Structures are given as structure tokens and as C-alpha cells.
Amino acid sequence: MKKYIITALLSASVISCGVLNTPLSTANQPSLNETQWQLAENVKGKVPTLKVQSGKITGTGGCNNYFGELSTEATTGAFSASKIGSTKMACDSMASESSFFNMLSSVNKYRVVGNTLELYQNGLLLLKFNRIQ
């Protein structure tokens, strides 16, 4: 019985991922230059942030400060964060921070909806931020 429940849950997860992976319109997005964002999710500790300035990103990952390079294309919604580095303090939320950095590195599209920034990988929403400036 337990085996069937686990199989059903896994099947539901696979189906839901397929539903999320629908075509995404990211054409003609506003420029992200000179903007600041805060992760929309409730997290323990400091809330991760994203600040965009002239091809560079900075912020906090929830524990450590980070920095990196950013390439965006407003007409297509392309987004590519690279060369992400951070300070090396140890905190309780290291696993969450590591996941945040991995997701940020995986993003290839962005979409701005009002005061919300959505970051996607191939149509799958990875991170959602609220504008703070």
C-alpha cells in the first residue's frame, strides 16, 4: 500500500512539473538596471536580495553577501547571472543559501509583472522577488 501511495505522489509531481513548464512570454520586458528586489518567499533569517547595477548584481543570499555579473536582454527577457562569488560566513541557513545561489545561476529568462520580478529556467519559475526600489 505504501508503495502505491509513493508512486501516486511521484506521478502527481511529474504531472505538475509538466503543467508549470508551459510556454512563457517574456518579450519586451523593462530594463532591470538600477533596481533592487527582495525574495518574495518567507525564509528563516535574512531575506535574500538582488540589486542590479550596470551589468553587475549584488545582494545577500540570506547569510553572506554576494556579487556577480549580469547580462539581460529586455526585448527577449533573457537573463544570465555569472561569476557569482560571496563572502564565506557560516550560518544556520547555509543549505537555503546554496539553493538560492544555484537557482540564480540557472535562470535564463526574466519577467516583470507590476512590482514583481519572476526568474525562470526554461519556463519553470525558480525565484520570485518584490521590488524594494
Side-chain angles (χ1 to χ4, degrees):
M1 183 68 175
K2 192 178 201 181
K3 187 178 187 180
Y4 296 114
I5 292 172
I6 292 172
T7 302
L9 290 174
L10 287 174
S11 297
S13 295
V14 169
I15 291 168
S16 69
C17 286
V19 171
L20 291 174
N21 207 4
T22 57
L24 173 69
S25 175
T26 56
N28 298 318
Q29 295 299 309
S31 170
L32 295 178
N33 197 35
E34 303 298 325
T35 59
Q36 291 186 44
W37 307 87
Q38 181 173 321
L39 193 67
E41 299 289 320
N42 290 329
V43 294
K44 278 183 153 180
K46 287 170 57 176
V47 177
T49 61
L50 172 69
K51 182 177 181 180
V52 180
Q53 287 185 304
S54 304
K56 305 270 186 215
I57 56 173
T58 58
T60 179
C63 174
N64 290 286
N65 293 326
Y66 71 91
F67 48 89
E69 295 181 4
L70 179 65
S71 174
T72 59
E73 178 57 51
T75 58
T76 62
F79 183 104
S80 177
S82 61
K83 299 181 182 176
I84 297 175
S86 70
T87 57
K88 301 294 181 190
M89 295 185 301
C91 300
D92 291 337
S93 59
M94 294 306 293
S96 297
E97 182 173 83
S98 179
S99 293
F100 173 76
F101 290 147
N102 287 336
M103 285 188 275
L104 189 58
S105 297
S106 299
V107 171
N108 58 14
K109 292 283 184 182
Y110 79 95
R111 182 168 72 166
V112 176
V113 180
N115 287 322
T116 302
L117 171 63
E118 298 173 342
L119 300 180
Y120 294 85
Q121 179 186 33
N122 302 324
L124 179 65
L125 179 63
L126 296 181
L127 297 165
K128 191 173 188 178
F129 292 87
N130 293 322
R131 191 174 185 139
I132 55 177
Q133 177 189 9

